[in-house]
Amino acid sequence: MTSTLNDKTALVTGSSRGIGRASALGLAREGALVAVHYGRDKQAARETVDLIEKDGGRAFAVGAELGTPGAVDQLFHQLEAGLREHTGETALDILVNNAAATTLGDAPEEVSAEQIDEIFAVNAKAPFLLVQRALGLIPDGGRIINISSAVTRRAVPPQIVYAMSKGALDQLTLHLARHLAPRQITVNSVLPGITDNGSAVFQIPEAREQMSQLSAFKRLGEPEEVANVVVFLATDRARWITGASLDATGGSLLG
Ligand code: NAP
């Protein structure tokens, strides 16, 4: 095992599957103790923890449905207990805001006020509240990594609300990067393109083919390929990068 994150602790929201799971595995492989957060699927989070442990890493699961009342308190209660149990203290070196709700792809004319509230609650408000709460635990030199999306840079009208919520997340990156620089805490966004997270749409050959054409490499991204960027940002090698948006789209925005 390499050890660039030995003695570090991390929370990855939404790491029961997809990019979050790959990021949790990647951080743990570098030596970090990882809190694997899930919303509803406790079993899947347990599987992520098992995968990490089989790989020789350390992890524990924390559950809270973001966007619901009390979720942040619930999450931090479990997080602090887990950190204390494993390390004897509650320092959190790395926060990855990855959990997100996606829209079904309604035309802008069809979007309801409730949908906007739901998406913003999970994708923008929850990361803000998580950072706010985590700041008491994050030591100088810590890392905040926000998983945004390529749709903040490329017009996809049926994804307008989701894209707006990710745009708000990018603002969190920008302003917090300045605010936290005196403490050497870096804050960055990672922009995935279309990434095969194993969900139903990726089982349809025609859909896969169509989505593959968006990347300059004419294929879908793998969760590990986005996770590699997350892990890099978490390491000391990335200490000079803050307030940035790292493109992890396989050249989908090249035009
Ligand atoms: P995914 O496979 O759909 O998994 C989403 C994760 O977020 C799950 O672990 C889920 O947990 C959790 N989650 C969702 N809503 C939640 C809530 N209300 N409270 C708590 N947890 C919640 O996601 P993904 O495709 O890997 O995407 C990961 C990140 O990359 C997201 O921020 C997404 O917007 C971004 N992204 C993805 C793509 C892509 O093509 N996949 C492209 C651009 C950006 P439970 O299942 O346990 O509820």
Side-chain angles (χ1 to χ4, degrees), residues 19 100 102 146-157 159-160 162-167 169-170 189-195 211 214-216 221 226 245-255:
I19 292 167
T102 45
N146 295 320
I147 309 300
S148 179
S149 169
V151 295
T152 56
R153 303 294 167 90
R154 187 175 174 275
V156 185
Q159 296 293 337
I160 188 167
Y162 170 77
M164 286 166 64
S165 70
K166 292 295 189 177
L169 186 66
D170 287 341
S189 287
V190 175
L191 277 60
I194 295 183
T195 309
M211 292 188 287
L214 292 173
S215 154
V226 179
S245 294
L246 270 71
D247 180 314
T249 71
S252 300
L253 300 173
L254 291 177

Side-chain angles (χ1 to χ4, degrees), residues 13-20 37-42 44 64-67 97-102 122-123 147-150 162 166 191-197 202:
T13 65
S15 48
S16 51
R17 54 197 160 89
I19 292 167
H37 164 261
Y38 64 94
R40 294 183 179 172
D41 198 341
K42 187 176 184 175
E65 200 169 338
L66 300 174
N97 279 311
N98 167 80
T102 45
V122 179
N123 298 3
I147 309 300
S148 179
S149 169
Y162 170 77
K166 292 295 189 177
L191 277 60
I194 295 183
T195 309
D196 184 353
N197 62 12
F202 293 103

Side-chain angles (χ1 to χ4, degrees), residues 29-152:
R29 202 165 288 140
E30 294 292 334
L33 165 68
V34 182
V36 172
H37 164 261
Y38 64 94
R40 294 183 179 172
D41 198 341
K42 187 176 184 175
Q43 180 55 32
R46 190 60 242 168
E47 281 169 24
T48 304
V49 171
D50 286 348
L51 285 167
I52 288 172
E53 288 175 347
K54 273 191 197 124
D55 209 21
R58 295 181 309 147
F60 60 93
V62 296
E65 200 169 338
L66 300 174
T68 61
V72 172
D73 278 345
Q74 200 187 333
L75 195 162
F76 273 82
H77 183 72
Q78 297 166 67
L79 175 68
E80 289 180 27
L83 289 172
R84 216 173 266 118
E85 184 188 328
H86 285 82
T87 69
E89 50 181 64
T90 57
L92 179 69
D93 299 286
I94 303 155
L95 167 61
V96 183
N97 279 311
N98 167 80
T102 45
T103 40
L104 291 174
D106 293 319
E109 292 82 352
E110 309 296 330
V111 172
S112 68
E114 290 73 23
Q115 279 174 302
I116 298 172
D117 286 345
E118 277 173 35
I119 294 289
F120 269 77
V122 179
N123 298 3
K125 187 175 175 185
F128 184 99
L129 295 175
L130 288 170
V131 169
Q132 195 179 49
R133 184 67 177 265
L135 280 179
L137 308 182
I138 299 179
D140 290 2
R143 297 283 185 267
I144 297 171
I145 301 164
N146 295 320
I147 309 300
S148 179
S149 169
V151 295
T152 56

